[in-house]
């Protein structure tokens, strides 16, 4: 959600920047089309009034017009006077550049009015209005005695920026600060519920339908939160219905299946011809598979409950695996599979019953998918903070793609090849390992064999 927040703020700043540029261009256009001429005319008028006052003084002495122009400059003007003999006088704030263009010289030579503030020389156009150059003035001619002069004048920038301008500048700064802070606050306010909704969605994938949203708003986000809460309730309802359906069906399946198995066992003890014995064998096998499937479904649904009651206790993995091997000894012998193991004492805090299911599934798979005369090797290794258990067989193996799907529910590489498979065993194994904060990985090669590696953290287990 951080990115959305960042995007929002960047977009606001970008809009602010673009609006400043557009405002500048617009203001520039207004300045170029009307303001510039008006300011020039005003300044020419002021300059003319100053020169006519000077001419009316009938004084030939420089001293008297100097005093007069000095006092005019104090009213907020920069003034430069050039005589036909090349004498220069400056009043008020000095100019930064004192080069007069040829056009300005016509004021003294041909008694023409110079409009320096009306011509655009700078690429900044509007900003050139404030340039403190001698060329950026208006010039008017005047005569005192027999001598012709040119008076060049422009308003003093310092006085232009009066107190009102300073107040406006602060006003602009305050508006900018308040609006930027406001936008940041608003972005946070807008994005917070979206973060919450994302969290709630994540919780739903973990089958937690009770994540509190606490979003009480009347806008579109409020409506979204409301619909989301309704969906949460509906999903919870569906999930409960699904689980209770599987539960009930699985329970209801168990007793008739036990009956079928019982009768099949009974029939097997009777004298039957080969054909009928085969039928009874099939009934027995299929009912066992169905019974196994319902048991696995029951276990999976109970593991799916977020609050599965784990019965953690100190469990000796090595003893558990040895016990599993012992229980499957007859099948190993029947299929002539050689088993070897390296099982040093490995106590761990875990749910013993669940872990037993893991070893049972891995060993039966190792037997089921082995080749006659193949072998199985089981190993326990302890590393820093973890117990690593490996089940390796020299069986039929799987391709990379098949191995990547092996932990999916109901996935079976070749459903027709093995009749007694359900495709649920490995998904149960993975679920149990994850409940113990562990990890399971598979490495397999077709016709070479398969190795399952389980990593169960020790420290994390003991902390809980
Ligand atoms: P199943 O009840 O079919 O054994 P599992 O979930 O235990 O279901 O296994 C899923 C599929 O992965 C199996 O159908 C099988 O094809 C493949 N598989 C599992 N273990 C092995 C193994 N040790 N060697 C080869 N294939 C395996």
């Amino acid at each position: 959600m951080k990115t959305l927040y960042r995007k929002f703020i960047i977009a606001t700043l970008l809009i602010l920047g673009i609006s400043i540029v557009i405002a500048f261009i617009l203001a520039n256009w207004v300045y170029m089309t009307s303001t510039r001429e008006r300011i020039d005319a005003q300044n020419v008028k002021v300059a003319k009034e100053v020169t006519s006052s000077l001419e009316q003084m009938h004084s030939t002495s420089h001293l008297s017009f100097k005093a007069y122009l000095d006092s005019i400059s104090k009213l907020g003007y920069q003034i430069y006077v050039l005589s036909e003999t090349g004498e220069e006088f400056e009043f008020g704030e000095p100019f930064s550049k004192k080069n007069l263009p040829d056009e300005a010289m016509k004021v003294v030579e041909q008694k023409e009015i110079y409009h320096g503030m009306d011509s655009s020389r700078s690429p900044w156009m509007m900003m050139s209005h404030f340039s403190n150059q001698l060329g950026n003035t208006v010039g008017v001619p005047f005569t005192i005695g027999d001598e012709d002069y040119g008076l060049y004048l422009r308003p003093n920038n310092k006085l232009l920026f009066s107190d009102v301008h300073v107040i406006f500048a602060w006003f602009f700064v305050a508006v900018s600060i308040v609006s930027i802070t406001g936008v940041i606050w608003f972005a946070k306010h807008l994005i917070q519920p979206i973060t919450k909704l994302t969290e709630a969605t994540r919780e739903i994938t973990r089958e937690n339908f009770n994540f509190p949203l606490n979003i009480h708003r009347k806008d579109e986000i409020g409506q979204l939160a409301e619909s989301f809460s309704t969906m949460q309730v509906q999903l919870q309802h569906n999930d409960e219905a699904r689980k209770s359906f599987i539960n009930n069906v699985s329970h209801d399946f168990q007793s008739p299946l036990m009956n079928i198995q019982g009768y099949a066992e009974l029939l097997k003890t009777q004298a039957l011809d080969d054909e009928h014995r085969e039928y009874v064998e099939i009934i027995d096998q299929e009912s066992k598979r169905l019974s196994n499937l319902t048991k696995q479904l029951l276990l999976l649904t109970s593991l799916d409950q977020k609050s599965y009651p784990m019965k953690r206790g100190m469990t000796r993995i090595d003893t558990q695996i040895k016990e599993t091997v012992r229980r499957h000894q007859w099948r190993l012998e029947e299929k002539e599979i050689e088993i070897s193991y390296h099982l040093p004492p490995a106590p761990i805090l875990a749910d013993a019953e669940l872990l037993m299911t893991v070893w049972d599934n891995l060993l039966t798979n190792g037997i089921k998918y082995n080749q006659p005369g193949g072998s199985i090797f089981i190993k326990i290794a302890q590393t820093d903070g973890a117990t690593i258990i490996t089940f390796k067989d020299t069986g039929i193996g799987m391709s990379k793609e098949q191995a990547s799907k092996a932990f999916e529910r109901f996935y079976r590489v070749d459903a027709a090849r093995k009749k007694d498979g359900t495709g649920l065993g490995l998904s149960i194994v993975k679920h149990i390992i994850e409940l113990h904060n562990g990890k399971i990985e598979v490495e397999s090669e077709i016709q070479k064999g398969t190795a399952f590696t389980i990593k169960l953290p020790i420290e994390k287990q003991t902390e809980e």
Side-chain angles (χ1 to χ4, degrees), residues 244-369:
S244 98
F245 173 76
I246 295 173
N247 246 332
N248 295 341
V249 170
S250 309
H251 273 299
D252 291 351
F253 267 38
Q254 275 305 327
S255 43
L257 280 173
M258 294 307 278
N259 282 341
I260 295 171
Q261 266 176 54
Y263 285 119
E265 293 289 334
L266 198 73
L267 270 177
K268 272 203 242 173
T269 59
Q270 308 295 309
L272 294 170
D273 58 57
D274 282 355
E275 200 184 351
H276 284 96
R277 183 162 296 282
E278 200 193 324
Y279 295 159
V280 172
E281 201 63 53
I282 292 171
I283 293 172
D284 186 38
Q285 249 182 32
E286 289 293 288
S287 59
K288 273 186 184 140
R289 197 173 81 87
L290 264 179
S291 162
N292 199 21
L293 176 70
T294 48
K295 275 187 207 151
Q296 284 184 320
L297 269 176
L298 261 176
L299 180 62
L300 251 184
T301 27
S302 62
L303 286 178
D304 272 349
Q305 319 270 323
K306 214 189 150 238
S307 51
Y308 179 83
M310 295 261 283
K311 289 175 245 126
R312 285 182 199 272
M314 211 29 104
T315 312
R316 284 278 298 269
I317 301 180
D318 52 312
T319 326
Q320 277 197 328
I321 296 176
K322 280 177 196 158
E323 163 67 19
T324 317
V325 172
R326 202 182 50 75
R327 276 202 283 122
H328 290 279
Q329 199 63 47
W330 67 272
R331 284 192 72 191
L332 287 161
E333 277 166 18
E334 191 187 53
K335 286 194 87 177
E336 292 174 358
I337 294 167
E338 197 187 311
I339 186 146
S340 57
Y341 46 73
H342 172 68
L343 301 170
I348 192 166
L349 195 69
D351 187 314
E353 210 181 310
L354 288 184
L355 278 194
M356 205 62 182
T357 315
V358 171
W359 319 136
D360 197 273
N361 264 300
L362 292 180
L363 188 62
T364 39
N365 278 357
I367 300 169
K368 258 198 301 190
Y369 304 108

Side-chain angles (χ1 to χ4, degrees), residues 289 292 296 361-370 391-399 402-403 405-415 417-429 442 444-445 449-452:
R289 197 173 81 87
N292 199 21
Q296 284 184 320
N361 264 300
L362 292 180
L363 188 62
T364 39
N365 278 357
I367 300 169
K368 258 198 301 190
Y369 304 108
N370 220 314
F391 275 71
K392 202 171 174 185
D393 64 55
T394 56
I396 55 170
M398 291 177 269
S399 70
Q402 291 163 347
K405 290 183 183 162
F407 297 106
E408 285 175 15
R409 286 178 191 191
F410 295 109
Y411 177 77
R412 293 165 73 195
V413 171
D414 187 352
R417 195 173 48 184
K418 286 278 163 191
K419 289 199 179 82
D420 54 348
T422 61
L424 286 176
L426 285 182
S427 61
I428 291 176
V429 166
V442 60
S444 192
E445 210 177 314
T450 308
F452 287 97

Side-chain angles (χ1 to χ4, degrees), residues 124-140:
W124 289 98
M125 294 175 288
M126 185 172 74
M127 296 318 282
S128 68
H129 176 80
F130 302 105
S131 141
N132 180 23
Q133 295 181 14
L134 187 50
N136 189 25
T137 50
V138 292
V140 288

Side-chain angles (χ1 to χ4, degrees), residues 82 100-114 139-141 148-150 152:
L82 180 69
L100 270 179
D102 292 343
E103 209 189 321
M105 298 309 288
K106 288 182 188 166
V107 178
V108 190
E109 290 158 7
Q110 292 164 32
K111 298 204 171 198
E112 274 180 19
I113 291 175
Y114 170 61
V140 288
D148 291 334
Y149 293 90
Y152 302 87

Side-chain angles (χ1 to χ4, degrees), residues 421-443:
T422 61
L424 286 176
L426 285 182
S427 61
I428 291 176
V429 166
K430 188 166 191 238
H431 215 315
I432 294 174
I433 297 301
E434 280 172 359
L435 272 177
H436 287 85
N437 302 314
K439 258 189 190 168
I440 180 162
E441 275 166 17
V442 60
E443 255 181 71

